[in-house]
Amino acid sequence: MQIYGLNPVLEALRAGRVRRLRVSTRQDKRVDEVIALAAAQRVTVERVDTAALDRAARGGVHQGVIAEAEEAREYTIAELAGAAVDGPAMDNEGSTRAAPLIVVLDGIEDPHNVGAILRTCDAAGATGVIRQTRHSAALDGIVGKASAGALAHVRIATVVNIARAIEELKAADVWTIGLAGEAAETHTEVDWTLPSAIVLGAEGTGLRRLVRERCDRLVRIPMRGRVESLNVSVAAGVVLYEAVRQRIGRSSGKG
């Protein structure tokens, strides 16, 4: 797997996944930081000219660094559904035994949106992400760059069928809540302190029919202006941080 950009490569190094590094011949303090970390891990570092990096990144903004990294470990739905119970809290202010908070991507193919969602999932302390093998953005350098390196840390389960994945989550006592603009309830009416999965559809088409029907409930984000919807990565952030707010409030006795 090839990733590029300073933050994605640094995070992949911190995760211990980089096996080979190509860096620009020009002097740069941030590139030197990457080289120092790679040297500490005994990662092979090759100096190449900018043109070679441009070709390898195929037009991506590489910032003078490209890494060959191991593919991230694949998780199962069962692992995600049970991971947060025995794992760390959502953050230092939250409970030491947080309920699972999972994001399900239904047909989101734009790599910049997927990267932005992964970045927010990491920031909000989400348990992990479920995506489909088809109709989904490849987890490559573009996603890695858009995620600012979160791709190296977020737990991801890849499944064949999202509708069946939702059924598996429900069987594991995880509430599945789909975002739909026409829903009667708003996202703030949900008790996000319970084991929950946020189901997000592609921009324009939204949730597919079978996926929508499988969800336990549908909610919407209130829109006060003239546009009808938010970008899917922004919508993910709005709902994830409502969950964070509720969970911190519950752990501090305020919610």
Side-chain angles (χ1 to χ4, degrees):
M1 172 183 184
Q2 179 174 279
I3 56 175
Y4 51 77
L6 288 165
N7 284 332
V9 172
L10 275 169
E11 294 305 326
L13 280 164
R14 289 168 182 150
R17 290 177 44 208
V18 174
R19 293 294 168 263
R20 178 170 171 257
L21 188 66
R22 283 178 285 173
V23 300
S24 171
T25 53
R26 67 183 179 85
Q27 295 298 311
D28 184 290
K29 287 185 178 179
R30 294 199 67 195
V31 172
D32 291 342
E33 180 185 352
V34 171
I35 293 171
L37 186 55
Q41 297 182 11
R42 298 184 180 180
V43 172
T44 300
V45 179
E46 179 185 358
R47 289 276 192 179
V48 297
D49 59 35
T50 301
L53 294 175
D54 291 342
R55 288 192 297 273
R58 298 180 181 180
V61 182
H62 53 72
Q63 298 176 292
V65 292
I66 294 180
E68 297 297 330
E70 291 180 349
E71 296 288 340
R73 173 185 178 296
E74 276 288 337
Y75 288 82
T76 66
I77 293 174
E79 286 176 314
L80 295 186
V85 174
D86 298 317
M90 291 185 64
D91 63 22
N92 291 334
E93 299 179 75
S95 168
T96 56
R97 294 177 65 79
L101 179 62
I102 298 165
V103 174
V104 181
L105 307 182
D106 178 34
I108 301 177
E109 300 185 52
D110 181 85
H112 297 94
N113 279 334
V114 172
I117 291 169
L118 293 177
R119 183 175 185 174
T120 305
C121 285
D122 181 68
T127 311
V129 170
I130 297 173
R131 62 187 285 276
Q132 196 170 11
T133 49
R134 298 174 63 240
H135 307 296
S136 185
L139 301 179
D140 57 11
I142 299 175
V143 169
K145 187 74 168 63
S147 76
L151 177 60
H153 303 294
V154 176
R155 290 176 281 199
I156 298 174
T158 301
V159 300
V160 174
N161 187 292
I162 292 294
R164 285 201 295 268
I166 290 173
E167 291 295 337
E168 191 173 338
L169 286 169
K170 291 161 73 171
D173 296 323
V174 176
W175 288 94
T176 55
I177 300 104
L179 284 191
E182 73 283 2
E185 295 181 290
T186 66
H187 71 293
T188 57
E189 296 176 65
V190 175
D191 183 354
W192 294 105
T193 65
L194 299 173
S196 307
I198 306 163
V199 188
L200 303 168
E203 293 202 36
T205 57
L207 298 173
R208 291 175 292 178
R209 181 181 61 83
L210 283 177
V211 171
R212 178 188 300 259
E213 291 173 357
R214 294 291 194 280
C215 290
D216 289 306
R217 61 200 291 190
L218 299 175
V219 299
R220 61 181 169 83
I221 296 172
M223 301 295 294
R224 304 302 186 203
R226 296 184 180 182
V227 297
E228 295 182 353
S229 64
L230 295 171
N231 169 278
V232 66
S233 64
V234 174
V238 170
V239 178
L240 280 167
Y241 272 91
E242 171 61 17
V244 170
R245 184 191 69 79
Q246 290 188 19
R247 290 176 178 216
I248 291 174
R250 175 67 60 86
S251 68
S252 63
K254 297 177 182 178

